[in-house]
């Protein structure tokens, strides 16, 4: 992987950021809004503070939205009309990429030539738009995948439907076209190379962050009082979109098992977030599950919370559980640690970087309920060790700030602006690269 930090400092003045399928201004924790939304908004603010203006293009999902919103000084959100405002499923979005792209190109055409120095696309749908914009504007394309279909399909939860092969094809195309790719972790960088044929020298590792000014340790009793939670219970929180991939059911089952092992145990699962996707996503289904397991009184649900309330959730909990089947990183794990709460996480994907095993939390291999119940007991039955882990968690999370992420992104942008994509003539090079990649890797198209 390239060490971009040593390159000359040639920073873009203004960039176009593409996030077709979800707005950075949407409330994360439900529907299609999650960590990527937080990532896009937080890095945009940080980039603007460093002198790079950011214009974010996203698909308008309501007729009430103005065409342009100022999200922060130097950060504009452009709500592009492409297809119906409501009722368009994420899987149908590829049908609306043409009108979306047309609007992005028209927007730039209204400006002075060279208005954007670079395009940064998030998720493969945006990458499809991004490479056309890059070719038209003759500026570099930096792409961040956030999640990869091949990785997700290799670790599906029960009841989860696989990502379609068309997504994998689309991802391969974007990965072949992008001038630079950013990956959350070294592991993701390897997946881009091994599964998608990316060129290692084009990948920059850019870890995401947590808002360390907001997510700070605080008084647990006060947080519990504010949220209406009992002061004397063991509280294990799950925070995120309620979907099979995130496995909130594993936490509910593990709490039931721990209570079965020690009847009378005052343990509570606090589930924070809203529905997304298909399968075990309805809180109703989790309520039914808790009732079937006889622990209906030990589970509390909260709808998606804004960040200034979410910090209270993290502080209120003794432990935050992230039992996902896959996470490209897992911002919730970082935020919880920044707020001083250890994390019990599945040993998958980026969680191995986000959580330090036996130091700031615990990583569990697999999703066997006895193992998860045992992990809950191991952590909660030794409050002194848990407190120590909480202190170390704050120190661990301090290494992950959005300021650091933005600096790494700027280094990647600098590399893209100085790289061969531009100098060698973007069109010829990208076509040749794309052909070579298809021949080498896929066998799908020839
Ligand atoms: N989130 C939130 N309110 C909620 C639940 C989640 O703001 O009620 C945010 C949370 O702070 C985090 C993001 O949603 O920044 C989830 O990111 P993560 O990487 O954990 O999961 P993803 O949604 O990307 O799969």
């Amino acid at each position: 992987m390239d060490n971009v930090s040593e390159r000359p400092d040639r920073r873009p003045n203004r960039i176009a950021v593409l996030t077709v399928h979800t707005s950075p201004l949407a409330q994360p924790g439900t529907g299609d809004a999650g960590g990527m939304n937080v990532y896009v908004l937080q890095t945009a603010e940080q980039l603007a503070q460093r002198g790079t203006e950011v214009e974010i293009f996203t698909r308008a999902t309501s007729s009430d939205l103005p065409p342009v919103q100022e999200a922060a000084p130097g950060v504009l959100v452009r709500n592009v009309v492409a297809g119906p405002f409501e009722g368009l499923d994420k899987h149908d979005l590829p049908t609306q990429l043409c009108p979306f792209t047309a609007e992005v190109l028209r927007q730039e055409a209204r400006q002075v030539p060279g208005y954007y120095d670079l395009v940064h696309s998030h998720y493969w749908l945006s990458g499809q738009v991004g490479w056309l914009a890059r070719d038209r504007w003759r500026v570099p394309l930096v792409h961040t995948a956030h999640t990869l279909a091949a990785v997700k399909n290799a670790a599906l939860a029960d009841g989860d439907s696989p990502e379609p092969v068309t997504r994998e094809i689309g991802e391969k195309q974007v990965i072949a076209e992008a001038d630079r790719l950013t990956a959350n972790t070294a592991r993701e960088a390897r997946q881009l190379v091994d599964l998608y044929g990316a060129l290692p020298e084009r990948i920059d590792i850019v870890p995401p962050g947590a808002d360390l000014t907001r997510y700070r340790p605080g008084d647990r009793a006060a947080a519990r009082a504010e949220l209406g939670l009992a002061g004397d219970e063991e509280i294990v929180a799950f925070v995120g979109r309620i979907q099979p991939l995130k496995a909130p059911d594993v936490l509910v089952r593990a709490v039931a098992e721990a209570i079965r092992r020690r009847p009378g145990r005052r343990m509570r699962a606090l589930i924070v977030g809203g529905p997304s996707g298909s399968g075990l996503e309805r809180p109703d289904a989790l309520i039914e599950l808790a009732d079937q397991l006889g622990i209906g009184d030990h589970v509390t649900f909260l709808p998606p919370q804004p960040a200034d309330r979410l910090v209270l959730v993290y502080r209120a909990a003794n432990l935050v559980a992230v039992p996902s089947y896959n996470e490209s990183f897992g911002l919730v794990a970082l935020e919880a640690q920044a707020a001083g709460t250890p994390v019990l996480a599945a040993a998958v994907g980026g969680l191995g970087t986000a959580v330090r095993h036996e130091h700031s939390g615990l990583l569990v291999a697999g999703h066997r309920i006895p193992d998860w119940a045992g992990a809950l007991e191991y952590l909660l039955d030794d409050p002194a060790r848990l407190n120590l882990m909480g202190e170390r968690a704050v120190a661990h999370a301090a290494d992950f700030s959005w300021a650091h992420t933005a600096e790494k992104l700027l280094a990647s942008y600098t590399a893209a602006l100085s790289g061969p994509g531009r100098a060698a003539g973007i069109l010829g090079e990208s076509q040749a690269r794309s052909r070579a990649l298809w021949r080498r890797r896929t066998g799908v198209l020839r």
Side-chain angles (χ1 to χ4, degrees):
M1 308 311 143
D2 220 11
N3 184 355
V4 290
S5 56
E6 287 167 19
R7 288 173 185 269
D9 192 13
R10 198 167 149 241
R11 294 182 166 193
N13 292 321
R14 185 185 295 108
I15 65 168
V17 167
L18 308 178
T19 164
V20 174
H21 78 281
T22 174
S23 167
L25 299 178
Q27 168 64 54
T30 189
D32 289 332
M36 193 185 98
N37 307 60
V38 175
Y39 185 113
V40 169
L41 191 59
Q42 291 283 340
T43 55
E45 286 178 15
Q46 294 287 337
L47 289 169
Q49 285 166 21
R50 285 162 177 75
T52 296
E53 283 179 32
V54 180
E55 296 200 1
I56 304 169
F57 292 82
T58 189
R59 202 181 78 85
T61 51
S62 158
S63 56
D64 298 337
L65 285 171
V68 189
Q69 290 169 283
E70 187 182 40
V75 181
L76 294 184
V77 175
R78 295 192 178 277
N79 298 304
V80 174
V81 177
F85 293 114
E86 282 162 23
L88 194 69
D89 189 79
K90 187 171 163 188
H91 292 111
D92 294 327
L93 278 178
T95 65
Q96 295 308 314
L97 291 183
C98 249
F100 189 94
T101 308
E103 269 311 308
V104 171
L105 297 182
R106 280 179 200 149
Q107 178 53 40
E108 191 267 353
R110 290 185 199 113
Q111 312 290 348
V112 292
Y115 191 67
Y116 301 113
D117 293 322
L118 182 140
V119 192
H120 186 169
S121 53
H122 294 272
Y123 195 66
W124 74 277
L125 290 169
S126 306
Q128 295 276 332
V129 179
W131 107 56
L132 294 180
R134 182 277 309 275
D135 282 3
R136 175 73 75 87
W137 303 340
R138 295 191 162 258
V139 299
L141 170 67
V142 175
H143 179 70
T144 306
H146 292 277
T147 64
L148 294 165
V151 176
K152 191 177 167 197
N153 285 344
L156 283 179
D158 263 2
D160 215 352
S161 27
E163 291 296 309
V165 71
T166 46
R167 173 175 165 188
E168 253 184 79
I169 292 172
E171 289 176 331
K172 280 182 177 149
Q173 290 165 332
V174 174
I175 286 164
E177 288 288 337
D179 295 272
R180 295 206 78 77
L181 299 163
T182 80
N184 284 329
T185 58
R187 180 194 190 95
E188 189 188 335
R190 277 196 303 279
Q191 289 164 339
L192 285 166
V193 174
D194 295 345
L195 304 176
Y196 285 87
L199 300 173
E201 63 274 18
R202 286 181 197 264
I203 304 176
D204 300 313
I205 296 166
V206 180
D211 183 346
L212 301 175
T213 55
R214 192 182 298 271
Y215 297 115
R216 285 181 291 119
D219 187 56
R220 175 168 295 154
R224 287 189 177 195
E226 185 89 12
L227 295 171
L229 297 165
D232 57 350
E233 289 183 337
E234 297 170 318
I235 296 180
V236 186
F238 166 96
V239 174
R241 289 180 274 174
I242 298 177
Q243 55 183 190
L245 179 82
K246 298 261 178 199
D249 52 313
V250 169
L251 174 61
V252 171
R253 288 179 195 278
V255 167
E257 173 64 11
I259 292 172
R260 191 191 65 75
R261 289 181 189 177
R262 201 209 296 163
R265 183 159 199 161
R266 289 174 58 75
M267 188 186 279
R268 176 164 304 279
L270 173 62
I271 311 246
V272 183
S276 168
S278 59
L280 223 188
E281 79 278 20
R282 291 169 302 120
D284 290 357
L286 285 177
I287 293 169
E288 279 163 28
L289 176 67
D291 286 342
Q292 276 166 20
L293 295 166
I295 59 152
D297 296 345
H298 293 260
V299 185
T300 298
F301 293 90
L302 287 178
Q305 301 291 308
D308 57 349
R309 298 280 299 173
L310 196 52
V311 65
L312 299 176
V313 171
Y314 293 137
R315 287 176 186 164
N318 300 85
L319 198 58
V320 168
V322 187
S324 310
Y325 286 90
N326 186 50
E327 284 290 343
S328 60
F329 198 83
L331 296 187
V332 160
L334 268 191
E335 294 163 1
Q337 291 171 91
T341 304
V343 175
L344 169 59
V348 297
L351 288 170
T353 306
V355 179
R356 276 188 69 188
H357 183 55
E358 288 279 14
H359 181 88
S360 65
L362 207 67
L363 293 166
V364 178
H367 291 83
R368 289 184 62 247
I369 302 307
D371 295 345
W372 278 79
L376 286 176
E377 290 166 341
Y378 174 77
L379 291 167
L380 292 168
D381 291 350
D382 188 341
R385 183 175 51 209
L386 197 62
N387 279 344
L388 183 62
M389 280 186 173
E391 284 164 24
R392 290 173 181 159
V394 179
H396 176 59
D399 288 341
F400 297 88
S401 67
W402 289 117
H404 181 247
T405 308
E407 288 296 342
K408 287 279 191 185
L409 280 183
L410 282 169
S412 185
Y413 296 165
T414 298
L417 286 163
S418 343
R422 235 181 169 192
I426 289 162
L427 297 176
E429 196 216 16
S430 73
Q431 277 293 311
R433 204 192 310 157
S434 187
R435 286 214 176 88
L437 182 112
W438 281 112
R439 272 191 217 106
R440 252 197 355 259
R441 290 276 165 185
T442 64
V444 178
L445 299 177
R446 286 185 191 278

